[in-house]
Amino acid sequence: MILAPRPAAAVRLCCLPPAGAGPVYYQSWTRYLPDTVELCSVELPGRGTRAGNPSCTDMGVVVSAIAEAVSDQSDSRSMVLFGHSVGALLAYEVTRALRREGQRLPEMLALSGMPAAHLGAYPAAVYHVMAAGREGLSDLFGPVPKRLIQSPRLGAAAMAPLLADCLLEVQYRHREELPLDVPLALYGGADDRFAPSETVRAWNALVTSPSDLRLFPGGHAYLRERPGDLVDQLVRDIDARVSRSAVALREMAQQPPPPSV
C-alpha cells in the first residue's frame, strides 16, 4: 500500500507496523520525508480495510505474503525495509525469505525497538507485557484510548490483531542462516524496557556489516512521540547507505531518450 504516491522518487521506503497496527501507523511520516522517498506499508489481515479477515498467527504465511508484496520486479527503484517492534522481526525474516527465493534484496534493512531474533527473548518479553495488563500495553503503545476501555466491543476488535502479532513473537524460533549481506540501521528508545539497547545492538551478529544503534528519548513508543526526529535520521541513513549507483540508474531511466539522427 502506497501512503504517499511519488512515482519520481528514487527510493521506496516500505514500513512494517508494530503489533496490532496497520499502515496508518506511519501515515504522519509523509510530511517529514523528502520527495526522493516514496512511503509504503503493508496491511495484514484483521486491521484497516481488512478488519473483516481473521488475523494470521503463522509466521511463514505472513512473511511469504509480505515478501511477495514488496518484491515488485517491475519497479527498479531502490527499496528500504523499516520495521518497528514485531515489524522489525518481520522485516528481518522477509529479507531472508527474499534471499532464499533469489529475489532482489532491500538496499537497507532498518530495525527499531526489537530484541535481535536469535536471542530467544520474545516469549518472556510478551509474557511480562501481558501480565502487566493495561499498564504494560501503555508502556508499549502509549496510553490506551478511553473509547477502547469504555467499549468492550471496540476493545476486543482492537485486541484481536494485537494478540495475533504477540502469538507470532511467542511462537517464533530463529533458524540459523548465513548473515545477511545488507546494510543495517538500528534505532531504539533510550528507556525501552521491552527492547533494551544491548538486545537491539545484538542484531549486528546477524549481518555482515554492523551498525551503530541510534537512541531517541522515550520508551518503546518513542517514534510516535517525536516521529520527525527518527525520520530525519532514517533519511540521513538512507542517503549514506543506499547504493548511489541504483539512484543514478533510476535518474537515467527518467531522462527522455536522445533524438534520433
Side-chain angles (χ1 to χ4, degrees), residues 21-160:
V24 69
Y25 187 87
Y26 294 108
Q27 188 68 58
S28 67
W29 285 26
T30 57
R31 73 186 70 161
Y32 305 108
L33 288 168
D35 292 339
T36 54
V37 178
E38 182 177 75
L39 181 63
C40 312
S41 189
V42 296
E43 191 162 65
L44 298 177
R47 59 212 84 189
T49 61
R50 304 181 68 187
N53 302 118
S55 299
C56 184
T57 59
D58 187 315
M59 177 66 77
V61 171
V62 173
V63 167
S64 294
I66 297 175
E68 181 179 357
V70 302
S71 60
D72 184 356
Q73 298 302 310
S74 65
D75 195 329
S76 62
R77 294 177 295 177
S78 299
M79 190 259 290
V80 171
L81 268 184
F82 173 91
H84 176 65
S85 193
V86 72
L89 176 61
L90 291 173
Y92 168 72
E93 284 296 341
V94 165
T95 304
R96 298 213 299 177
L98 292 173
R99 182 175 64 178
R100 288 193 297 269
E101 296 165 7
Q103 302 285 354
R104 186 160 58 102
L105 300 184
E107 294 280 345
M108 187 177 84
L109 179 61
L111 307 178
S112 165
M114 193 67 172
H118 65 299
L119 298 180
Y122 304 143
V126 171
Y127 170 77
H128 288 305
V129 170
M130 293 303 176
R134 189 189 305 172
E135 180 182 347
L137 294 177
S138 297
D139 193 31
L140 276 184
F141 308 108
V144 179
K146 287 185 178 180
R147 68 180 185 279
L148 299 184
I149 299 173
Q150 297 169 350
S151 171
R153 181 180 61 83
L154 290 177
M159 285 296 292

